[in-house]
Structures are given as structure tokens and as C-alpha cells.
């Protein structure tokens, strides 16, 4: 990967919002669309892929429209082309060339074939670039990880998993071994990942049951419940998850299910559960996790955005609250990848002349 400039991707539009957000083809962040077999030829570093599958979900359907909604939400910020983060001081497009590769082929009614198609698409991207996948229900993470690992000859991967549910069921939630509640078990059973290299962040509620968690404990898996996240130092959780994921592994995948969030902040999902993470917690942990990983041996997916249940989303023309969060997470991931690529803890955010907080003069009590 070499130094880039947003002008290389967007041209004259990079610094100026000279196209209305409702115009043009709504690729992710209005990035160029590149065929998956041409990423190397076009010198692309990160390939965005949609995986519009929801026939492996078990409660509320609708995540087949997730990639479309997240792409729509990605066009809303103004200006839509420049992505300098005022908090981290980094624009990922100053480091990486990024392209939208469209969607993996989905065969309605044939869940397993659709998953195999997703695996092939991720494999093709991963031979040439870092994959970032937009779901789709969480069953896509098994083909995501399998295609990525096989393309790069990874034998042992680490997994950092943000989710309300463990997704470690032997046969999923309703007896289908490839549903969205079984994908972690499929990765584990394929010997792609050891239990000690897996950390789950944010589980709560009532599924899976105690027997499954006993099996997870026996396999040396680790988890931090949502309440524990709220009561602990986030940096400690991040450091532990990163250490576990990188201990003796070839690469790390990060998977983010939006139902890890408190539904008040992310209602557009199939299985909302009260008591989840708040956006600041999620964004901070994703930033810090990815910043500590090698961007050359990394993959990411964000899943379970179901726009039909989302606040402010009536048609996915501009996305909604939940799809907007998913969009933001992808940009944060790319920004942290850029910092990691340069070996930096932070970029160059613009700060006020005076230090934050009260000045010494303001702290001095007035004379009596």
C-alpha cells in the first residue's frame, strides 16, 4: 500500500460537495465501482462487498436490504467525498484506494448456495485487497471468513465478535447448521480458529443457554457481557481482545452485529434486545481494536441491518439511524487501518489553541 490522496479517487469532487447527495449511482461513499477480478489491476487496497442474504435469519427478515440501506446512508454526510475525521485526525483515502465491488450473487430460496457464492466473492477480493463486507444476516460471516482465510492461506485466525448473541449453536437456533446463530461454531469446527483466540463483546439476554456457554468456556472462549462493558474500562477490554486474537494467529477478523447496540440507538435489526452498547462505546472500541491490528492481515463485516425496522428509513433512499451507524463503523475501520498502516496512535486532529477544560485563571477563586 502506498500513500494516496482523496483526489486520486474522487478527482475535483474530493474537496467540494459539487454533486447533490441524491444524484448519481449510490455506491458506498460514492466510490468508484470496480469489478472484483480487476482490483489488482486498478491498484485497489480495500474492496467493499454487499452480501444481501437474509434467508438464514430466524426472527425478523429484511437484512437482504442492508447493503442497499448502508450504501444509501453513506451518501448523507456533507460533503460526501472528504472523510477527514475531526476526532482521530485521519482520512482513510489519504492512505488507501477503496472501491465498491457490488454485491455477491444471491439465489433466493437457496441459502447454502448463496453462502457459497459469498465465499467465492470474498475469496476473489481477498486475493487482491482487504475485504469489508456489508450484510445481510450474520450467517454470512462464515463464508466471509472462510473465503478470506483460504485466499490468504491463513491456518489460524483470531476473531473479535461484537454481538448480542454468541452465535455458537451446534445447529443454530432452529436446526439449520448454517443459520445466523451457528456461524462461529462453523468457523471453530473447521479449525480455522482456536477458542483462546476468540472474544465476544456485548452479549446479553436469554440465548444461547447455559449448556452452550459451558461449551464455550471449555473451549477457552471469552466474553464480556453488555453490562460488564458498561462497568469496565473500555481500553482493558480492547487490549484483552486484541491480545487473544493475535496470540499465535496469522490474521484477525472483526465482525460487528448491529444488534449488539441498545435498540434505542439501532432499532433497524432483526433481533433487538434491551440493554446494549451505546454508539460512543462501540465506535471507540472498534477504532481501538482495528488500530492495534495489521491492516495487511485483516477483514471486517457489519451485519444484521434491517432497514424496514429502522428509524427514519422509509425507502432506503438516504438510509436510517441503524444503517447510518453501520456506515460510520466502516469509515472508522478504514481510518484505524490507515493509522495502523502508518504506525500511528492518532492522526493530526485540529485542536483549539487553548487546552481543553478550565484554564488556571478560571480556576482561581475571586478575591473576597
Amino acid at each position: 500500500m502506498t500513500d494516496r490522496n482523496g483526489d486520486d479517487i474522487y478527482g475535483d469532487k474530493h474537496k467540494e460537495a459539487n454533486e447533490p447527495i441524491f444524484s448519481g449511482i449510490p455506491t458506498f461513499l460514492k466510490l468508484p465501482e470496480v469489478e472484483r477480478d480487476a482490483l489488482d489491476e486498478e491498484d485497489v487496497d480495500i474492496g467493499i462487498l454487499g452480501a444481501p442474504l437474509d434467508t438464514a435469519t430466524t426472527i425478523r427478515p429484511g437484512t437482504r436490504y442492508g447493503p442497499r440501506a448502508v450504501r444509501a446512508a453513506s451518501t448523507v454526510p456533507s460533503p460526501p467525498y472528504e472523510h477527514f475525521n475531526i476526532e482521530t485526525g485521519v482520512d482513510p483515502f489519504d492512505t488507501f484506494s477503496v472501491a465498491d465491488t457490488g454485491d455477491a450473487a444471491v439465489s433466493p430460496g437457496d441459502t447454502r448456495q448463496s453462502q457459497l457464492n459469498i465465499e467465492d466473492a470474498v475469496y476473489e477480493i481477498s486475493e487482491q485487497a482487504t475485504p469489508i463486507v456489508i450484510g445481510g444476516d450474520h450467517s454470512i460471516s462464515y463464508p466471509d471468513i472462510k473465503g478470506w482465510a483460504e485466499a490468504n492461506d491463513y491456518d489460524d485466525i483470531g476473531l473479535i465478535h461484537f454481538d448480542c448473541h454468541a452465535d455458537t449453536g451446534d445447529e443454530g437456533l432452529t436446526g439449520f447448521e448454517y443459520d445466523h446463530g451457528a456461524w462461529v461454531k462453523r468457523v471453530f469446527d473447521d479449525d480455522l480458529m482456536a477458542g483462546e483466540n476468540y472474544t465476544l463483546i456485548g452479549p446479553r439476554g436469554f440465548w444461547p443457554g447455559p449448556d452452550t456457554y459451558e461449551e464455550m468456556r471449555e473451549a477457552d472462549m471469552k466474553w464480556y457481557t453488555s453490562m460488564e462493558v458498561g462497568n469496565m474500562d473500555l481500553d482493558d477490554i480492547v487490549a484483552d481482545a486484541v491480545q487473544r486474537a493475535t496470540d499465535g494467529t496469522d490474521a484477525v477478523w472483526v465482525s460487528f452485529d448491529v444488534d449488539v447496540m441498545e435498540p434505542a440507538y439501532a432499532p433497524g435489526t432483526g433481533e433487538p434486545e434491551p440493554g446494549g452498547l451505546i454508539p460512543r462505546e462501540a465506535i471507540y472500541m472498534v477504532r481501538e481494536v482495528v488500530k492495534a491490528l495489521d491492516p495487511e492481515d485483516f477483514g471486517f463485516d457489519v451485519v444484521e441491518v434491517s432497514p424496514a425496522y429502522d428509524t427514519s428509513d422509509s425507502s432506503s433512499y438516504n438510509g436510517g439511524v441503524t444503517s447510518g451507524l453501520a456506515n460510520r463503523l466502516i469509515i472508522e475501520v478504514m481510518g484505524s487501518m490507515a493509522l495502523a498502516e502508518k504506525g500511528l496512535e492518532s492522526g493530526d486532529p485540529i485542536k483549539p489553541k487553548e487546552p481543553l477544560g478550565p484554564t488556571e485563571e478560571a480556576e482561581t477563586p475571586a478575591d473576597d
Side-chain angles (χ1 to χ4, degrees), residues 4-19 29-31 78-84 90-96:
R4 311 283 183 176
N5 187 291
D7 295 333
D8 299 336
I9 300 174
Y10 291 116
D12 294 339
K13 296 176 180 178
H14 179 235
K15 294 288 186 180
E16 297 180 15
N18 55 1
E19 181 181 81
L29 297 179
K30 294 194 175 180
L31 289 162
S78 183
Y81 298 98
E82 190 173 10
H83 287 87
F84 176 83
V90 64
D91 184 334
F93 302 129
D94 289 342
T95 302
F96 300 122

Side-chain angles (χ1 to χ4, degrees), residues 201-241:
I201 299 173
R204 60 195 186 277
F206 310 102
W207 188 90
D211 290 346
T212 300
Y213 272 102
E214 286 282 1
E215 292 174 2
M216 291 169 63
R217 182 165 64 181
E218 289 301 311
D220 294 321
M221 294 180 175
K222 193 170 185 178
W223 55 92
Y224 291 89
T225 69
S226 180
M227 291 295 180
E228 287 165 342
V229 170
N231 291 326
M232 291 182 65
D233 186 322
L234 299 182
D235 289 319
D236 290 341
I237 298 172
V238 166
D240 187 33

Side-chain angles (χ1 to χ4, degrees), residues 39-111:
L39 295 178
D40 199 32
E41 178 185 337
E42 296 294 332
D43 200 20
V44 171
D45 301 312
I46 299 173
I48 308 293
L49 175 71
L53 173 70
D54 69 357
T55 52
T57 193
T58 53
I59 309 296
R60 303 193 300 186
T63 57
R64 66 182 64 185
Y65 294 107
R68 181 175 295 181
V70 175
R71 286 185 174 106
S74 78
T75 67
V76 171
S78 183
Y81 298 98
E82 190 173 10
H83 287 87
F84 176 83
N85 188 312
I86 64 172
E87 293 178 313
T88 61
V90 64
D91 184 334
F93 302 129
D94 289 342
T95 302
F96 300 122
S97 174
V98 188
D100 192 326
T101 71
D103 288 346
V106 169
S107 302
D110 193 339
T111 300

Side-chain angles (χ1 to χ4, degrees), residues 84-89 287 346-356:
F84 176 83
N85 188 312
I86 64 172
E87 293 178 313
T88 61
R287 275 182 188 169
S346 67
D348 192 17
I350 311 302
K351 295 293 185 180
K353 288 182 179 180
E354 293 186 358
L356 300 180

Side-chain angles (χ1 to χ4, degrees), residues 323-343:
S323 51
L325 171 68
N327 158 63
R328 173 67 179 273
L329 289 170
I330 294 172
I331 303 173
E332 295 287 353
V333 163
M334 294 192 296
S336 288
M337 288 175 63
L339 291 174
E341 176 73 11
K342 296 180 178 181

Side-chain angles (χ1 to χ4, degrees), residues 54 153 345:
D54 69 357
D153 294 321
E345 278 295 313

Side-chain angles (χ1 to χ4, degrees), residues 34-351:
V34 176
E35 296 292 329
R36 285 191 290 276
D37 61 2
L39 295 178
D40 199 32
E41 178 185 337
E42 296 294 332
D43 200 20
V44 171
D45 301 312
I46 299 173
I48 308 293
L49 175 71
L53 173 70
D54 69 357
T55 52
T57 193
T58 53
I59 309 296
R60 303 193 300 186
T63 57
R64 66 182 64 185
Y65 294 107
R68 181 175 295 181
V70 175
R71 286 185 174 106
S74 78
T75 67
V76 171
S78 183
Y81 298 98
E82 190 173 10
H83 287 87
F84 176 83
N85 188 312
I86 64 172
E87 293 178 313
T88 61
V90 64
D91 184 334
F93 302 129
D94 289 342
T95 302
F96 300 122
S97 174
V98 188
D100 192 326
T101 71
D103 288 346
V106 169
S107 302
D110 193 339
T111 300
R112 190 70 190 115
Q113 184 59 54
S114 297
Q115 292 169 341
L116 293 173
N117 294 346
I118 293 166
E119 181 181 325
D120 289 344
V122 175
Y123 182 102
E124 192 168 16
I125 292 171
S126 301
E127 286 185 303
Q128 308 162 81
T130 296
I132 292 180
V133 187
I134 309 170
D137 68 50
H138 216 156
S139 74
I140 71 161
S141 289
Y142 173 51
D144 288 349
I145 291 170
K146 193 171 181 184
W148 165 75
E150 290 184 355
N152 291 284
D153 294 321
Y154 297 141
D155 293 321
D156 301 289
I157 66 109
L159 177 57
I160 299 176
H161 176 198
F162 293 85
D163 204 327
C164 176
H165 311 99
D167 294 350
T168 51
D170 284 322
E171 295 183 348
L173 280 81
T174 56
F176 178 46
E177 61 181 336
Y178 295 103
D179 83 12
H180 66 164
W183 68 271
V184 174
K185 191 62 162 57
R186 301 287 78 80
V187 173
F188 180 75
D189 286 349
D190 278 4
D191 292 326
L192 287 169
M193 174 196 72
E196 58 263 29
N197 298 130
Y198 169 84
T199 304
L200 170 64
I201 299 173
R204 60 195 186 277
F206 310 102
W207 188 90
D211 290 346
T212 300
Y213 272 102
E214 286 282 1
E215 292 174 2
M216 291 169 63
R217 182 165 64 181
E218 289 301 311
D220 294 321
M221 294 180 175
K222 193 170 185 178
W223 55 92
Y224 291 89
T225 69
S226 180
M227 291 295 180
E228 287 165 342
V229 170
N231 291 326
M232 291 182 65
D233 186 322
L234 299 182
D235 289 319
D236 290 341
I237 298 172
V238 166
D240 187 33
V242 168
Q243 190 279 325
R244 289 171 54 82
T246 56
D247 186 12
T249 61
D250 304 317
V252 178
W253 189 274
V254 176
S255 186
F256 193 100
D257 186 330
V258 296
D259 73 16
V260 76
M261 305 299 297
E262 164 58 48
Y265 297 104
T269 191
E271 299 193 25
E273 180 71 43
L277 273 57
I278 64 173
R280 280 194 301 273
E281 292 171 336
I283 289 170
Y284 180 80
M285 284 191 287
V286 166
R287 275 182 188 169
E288 295 303 303
V289 160
V290 178
K291 192 168 65 177
L293 301 174
D294 183 348
E296 298 282 352
D297 295 304
F298 171 75
F300 176 77
D301 58 26
V302 57
V303 300
E304 298 286 356
V305 172
S306 192
Y309 313 110
D310 206 3
T311 305
S312 80
D313 191 327
S314 60
S315 59
S316 290
Y317 289 141
N318 293 126
V321 170
T322 311
S323 51
L325 171 68
N327 158 63
R328 173 67 179 273
L329 289 170
I330 294 172
I331 303 173
E332 295 287 353
V333 163
M334 294 192 296
S336 288
M337 288 175 63
L339 291 174
E341 176 73 11
K342 296 180 178 181
L344 299 174
E345 278 295 313
S346 67
D348 192 17
I350 311 302
K351 295 293 185 180

